[in-house]
């Protein structure tokens, strides 16, 4: 069999289909990335051509292959304590604000989306243990989700390269990780503190499961969406938050350009976005 080719028409059909299913939009600058991974799926499924592969997907009954395609097309570039100033803002400003206004002792709920391979939610767990003394007085639930099932499995396994952990203080690395060859195994204590689930942020039927969230980390995801998908995602984040809850976006993202539902808050270490209302 020769090398499958992806025509301009194939690319447009794929781009429309993938956007409908995931909310993720690929512009022409991502053509090489898309073509390479489409060709890989054509070969893996013995479809013969990109046209035949896309026809198979659009005919329905291909949920398993759609998930494989999603796993191939999503980018997962992260490491522990990425943009650490936001974790500092969490323990120095966001959580103190929440507990000061809290009228009930229900658990504080933190949702990280996307989870990628787990570095972000695990960073939250470690940072709370190391830098938030009030953790002794509060139960905290950490949830994390991603549309990519392959990275969720890697996150649950908790094995990381030296590059992933390079920004952790040495004392933290020694306390929470065990060297395994050229990797580091995260302790079961930290792994068990995070619940991982699959979720498409632009699918209302999936995001309804997330409610009464106090803090959402949604960093460097909305940049992959078009305007319509960003608005759908913003609505989902708003609905998931408890009144007074906070969203932390990536450093290049701004909720103000997407939705008027949130109020910006300038904290000493970060700008965050808050759902108006009194905390429960």
């Amino acid at each position: 069999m020769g090398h499958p080719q992806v025509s301009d028409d194939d690319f447009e059909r794929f781009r429309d289909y993938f956007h409908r299913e995931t909310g993720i939009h690929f512009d022409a600058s991502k053509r090489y990335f898309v073509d390479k991974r489409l060709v890989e799926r054509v070969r893996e499924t013995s479809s013969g051509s990109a046209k035949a592969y896309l026809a198979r997907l659009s005919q329905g009954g291909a949920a398993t292959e759609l998930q494989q395609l999603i796993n191939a097309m999503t980018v997962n570039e992260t490491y522990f304590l990425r943009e650490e100033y936001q974790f500092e803002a969490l323990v120095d400003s966001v959580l103190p604000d929440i507990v000061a206004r809290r009228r009930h002792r229900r658990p504080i709920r933190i949702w990280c989306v996307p989870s990628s391979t787990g570095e972000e939610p695990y960073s939250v767990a470690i940072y709370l243990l190391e830098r938030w003394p009030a953790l002794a007085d509060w139960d905290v639930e950490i949830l994390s989700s991603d549309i990519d099932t392959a990275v969720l499995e890697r996150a649950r396994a908790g094995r990381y390269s030296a590059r992933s952990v390079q920004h952790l203080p040495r004392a933290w690395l020694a306390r929470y990780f065990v060297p395994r060859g050229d990797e580091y195994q995260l302790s079961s204590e930290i792994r068990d503190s995070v619940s991982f689930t699959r979720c498409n942020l632009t699918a209302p039927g999936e995001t309804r499961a997330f409610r009464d969230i106090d803090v959402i980390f949604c960093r460097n995801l909305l940049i992959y969406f078009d305007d319509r998908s960003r608005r759908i995602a913003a609505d989902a984040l708003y609905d998931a938050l408890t009144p007074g809850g906070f969203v932390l976006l990536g450093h290049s993202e701004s909720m103000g350009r997407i939705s008027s539902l949130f109020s910006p808050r300038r904290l000493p270490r970060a700008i965050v976005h808050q759902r108006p209302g009194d905390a429960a």
Side-chain angles (χ1 to χ4, degrees):
M1 174 175 149
H3 296 291
Q5 299 295 315
V6 179
S7 68
D8 291 346
D9 184 59
D10 293 334
F11 176 75
E12 292 297 331
R13 287 180 60 203
F14 161 79
R15 184 166 66 173
D16 291 344
Y17 171 79
F18 201 73
H19 175 257
R20 287 196 306 274
E21 295 294 332
T22 68
I24 297 172
H25 173 73
F26 289 112
D27 60 28
S29 68
K30 299 293 193 297
R31 179 66 188 268
Y32 175 79
F33 171 86
V34 169
D35 285 9
K36 183 174 183 293
R37 281 154 180 78
L38 260 183
V39 167
E40 289 171 357
R41 295 315 306 159
V42 169
R43 288 173 173 158
E44 284 292 320
T45 58
S46 301
S47 296
S49 68
K51 183 177 180 179
Y53 175 75
L54 292 168
R56 170 186 174 183
L57 284 173
S58 62
Q59 288 169 0
T64 300
E65 179 52 34
L66 172 59
Q67 186 62 62
Q68 293 296 322
L69 179 64
I70 289 170
N71 293 357
M73 290 290 174
T74 47
V75 178
N76 299 284
E77 180 75 19
T78 189
Y79 49 85
F80 280 87
L81 299 188
R82 184 178 186 180
E83 297 178 4
E84 185 179 357
Y85 69 91
Q86 291 194 331
F87 300 113
E88 295 174 345
L90 175 69
V91 299
D92 293 345
S93 302
V94 171
L95 290 175
D97 182 286
I98 289 170
V99 300
R101 294 181 293 110
R102 186 69 122 225
R103 295 193 297 269
H104 303 289
R105 298 293 298 186
R106 70 171 181 79
I108 294 169
R109 308 189 80 208
I110 300 174
W111 181 23
C112 296
V113 52
S115 74
S116 187
T117 44
E119 286 93 332
E120 179 175 278
Y122 289 143
S123 291
V124 171
I126 292 172
Y127 221 82
L128 293 183
L129 284 167
E130 293 290 335
R131 295 287 176 83
W132 194 47
L135 183 62
D137 302 319
W138 291 89
D139 290 332
V140 177
E141 297 176 359
I142 303 175
L143 315 173
S144 193
S145 59
D146 203 289
I147 197 172
D148 184 335
T149 55
V151 297
L152 288 170
E153 286 304 309
R154 289 172 58 191
R156 293 185 185 105
R159 294 180 71 99
Y160 296 99
S161 67
R163 181 185 176 280
S164 288
V165 301
Q166 64 180 325
H167 297 292
L168 285 168
R170 288 189 178 183
W172 296 12
L173 186 62
R175 192 170 298 136
Y176 300 110
F177 294 82
V178 175
R180 302 287 190 199
D182 58 354
E183 292 184 316
Y184 292 85
Q185 175 68 64
L186 184 61
S187 71
S188 59
E189 172 196 8
I190 302 299
R191 282 184 284 129
D192 292 344
S193 71
V194 179
S195 175
F196 291 97
T197 57
R198 184 194 180 279
C199 181
N200 177 355
L201 195 57
T202 62
E206 298 182 27
T207 57
R208 287 192 195 101
F210 297 87
R211 290 295 183 267
D212 299 322
I213 306 296
D214 296 291
V215 183
I216 300 175
F217 282 83
C218 184
R219 306 193 298 178
N220 306 312
L221 173 62
L222 301 182
I223 56 176
Y224 295 102
F225 293 167
D226 65 357
D227 289 342
R228 177 177 177 275
S229 297
R230 288 190 190 105
R231 288 192 293 271
I232 293 172
D235 288 347
L237 298 178
Y238 180 88
D239 290 341
L241 281 174
T242 189
F246 295 86
V247 175
L248 288 81
L249 300 177
H251 72 275
S252 64
E253 299 171 305
S254 171
M255 191 65 77
R257 294 194 292 265
I258 302 170
S259 172
S260 61
L261 292 172
F262 299 85
S263 299
R265 287 277 304 274
R266 184 177 293 275
L267 304 176
R269 297 188 181 276
I271 296 174
V272 299
H273 305 274
Q274 188 173 23
R275 174 174 170 166
D278 295 327

